[in-house]
């Protein structure tokens, strides 16, 4: 019984349960709800310029075309689309601030750093205050990623030497004829404590 009491007394609680250095990976998807516009791009003018160059007594001609394009809206529809987050990984540090308050930093490999204000909750979880950051999403399965200015917050819990966070992304999504907002997110971050 004395051993059980000693173990309970030694178990870390509050910020002490989370402070440390971690390696993390983040990934998942978001739902984007909004209005998809059907666009048609019409070429209304083509300016042609022919340039002549005299090189060594020979005349060379170079033709340059400049297109003037107007975009017409043919129609629109309200819809919800799935967009995948570009997976991120790197190093995470959780540092004590004061009381139950902490700072959580994410140094993303090949990306910008992110800093969250965090708190240790009475139920044993860690809550991340909302912060704004650039987030790369894929508009389609094989397309290049596009970055959006989104707000990110969430909460997590410690399981042995691993922290599992459920992140919530919110904000506007405007790209290629689609005007909308993030209506739901399924983003997880897994952070393993460095030894």
């Amino acid at each position: 019984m004395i051993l059980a009491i000693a173990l309970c007394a030694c178990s870390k609680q509050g910020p002490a349960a989370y402070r440390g250095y971690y390696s993390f990976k983040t990934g998942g998807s978001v739902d984007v709800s909004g209005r998809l516009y059907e666009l048609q791009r019409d070429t209304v003018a083509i300016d042609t310029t022919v340039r002549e160059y005299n090189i060594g007594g020979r005349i060379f001609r170079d033709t340059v075309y400049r297109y003037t394009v107007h975009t017409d809206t043919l129609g629109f529809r309200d819809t919800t689309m799935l967009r995948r987050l570009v997976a991120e990984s790197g190093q995470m540090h959780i540092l004590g601030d004061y009381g139950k308050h902490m700072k959580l930093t994410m140094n993303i490999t090949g990306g910008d750093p992110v800093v969250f204000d965090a708190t240790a909750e009475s139920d044993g979880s860690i809550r991340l205050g909302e912060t704004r950051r650039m987030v790369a999403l894929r508009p389609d399965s094989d397309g290049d990623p596009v970055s959006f200015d989104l707000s990110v917050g969430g909460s997590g819990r410690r399981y042995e030497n691993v922290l599992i966070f459920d992140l919530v992304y919110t904000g506007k999504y405007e790209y290629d004829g689609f005007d909308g907002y993030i209506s739901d997110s399924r983003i997880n971050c897994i952070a393993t404590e460095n030894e």
Side-chain angles (χ1 to χ4, degrees):
M1 188 156 125
I2 293 173
L3 180 61
I5 293 171
L7 286 175
C8 289
C10 292
S11 66
K12 295 180 181 178
Q13 295 180 353
Y18 292 100
R19 280 197 300 258
Y21 301 93
Y22 302 82
S23 298
F24 76 89
K25 184 163 187 179
T26 301
S29 62
V30 297
D31 289 335
V32 182
S33 298
R35 184 161 283 181
L36 177 63
Y37 293 91
E38 184 181 349
L39 305 176
Q40 178 176 320
R41 292 172 175 87
D42 296 324
T43 303
V44 294
I46 302 173
D47 293 328
T48 306
T49 305
V50 178
R51 296 186 179 136
E52 292 185 353
Y53 301 95
N54 187 341
I55 300 174
R58 296 186 69 187
I59 302 292
F60 293 92
R61 290 181 178 82
D62 182 26
T63 305
V64 177
Y65 301 98
R66 192 174 76 204
Y67 299 91
T68 303
V69 178
H70 286 182
T71 302
D72 295 326
T73 302
L74 303 178
F76 62 87
R77 63 186 167 94
D78 293 329
T79 188
T80 298
M81 292 193 266
L82 177 85
R83 294 292 181 255
R84 293 201 55 77
L85 177 79
V86 174
E88 298 172 326
S89 61
Q91 293 300 307
M92 176 186 293
H93 299 160
I94 302 179
L95 311 166
D97 193 0
Y98 63 93
K100 66 177 185 174
H101 299 280
M102 299 171 284
K103 294 287 186 185
L104 184 148
T105 68
M106 297 172 79
N107 186 6
I108 299 168
T109 304
D112 296 331
V114 181
V115 178
F116 292 94
D117 288 320
T119 55
E121 301 296 312
S122 58
D123 65 356
S125 67
I126 180 173
R127 180 156 308 280
L128 304 180
E130 206 170 79
T131 190
R132 284 178 56 176
R133 60 169 297 226
M134 297 303 291
V135 178
L137 300 174
R138 292 194 185 280
D140 50 54
S141 59
D142 56 353
D144 290 331
V146 178
S147 292
F148 298 91
D149 185 6
L150 301 177
S151 294
V152 185
S155 62
R157 192 169 288 278
R158 184 179 190 99
Y159 299 92
E160 296 181 8
N161 68 333
V162 175
L163 303 180
I164 299 177
F165 292 93
D166 180 20
L167 301 179
V168 178
Y169 285 60
T170 57
K172 290 179 120 182
Y173 179 101
E174 295 177 355
Y175 178 73
D176 197 28
F178 189 89
D179 292 340
Y181 61 94
I182 307 296
S183 57
D184 192 19
S185 59
R186 293 162 301 281
I187 309 293
N188 292 117
C189 175
I190 300 172
T192 304
E193 192 167 16
N194 298 332
E195 294 182 8

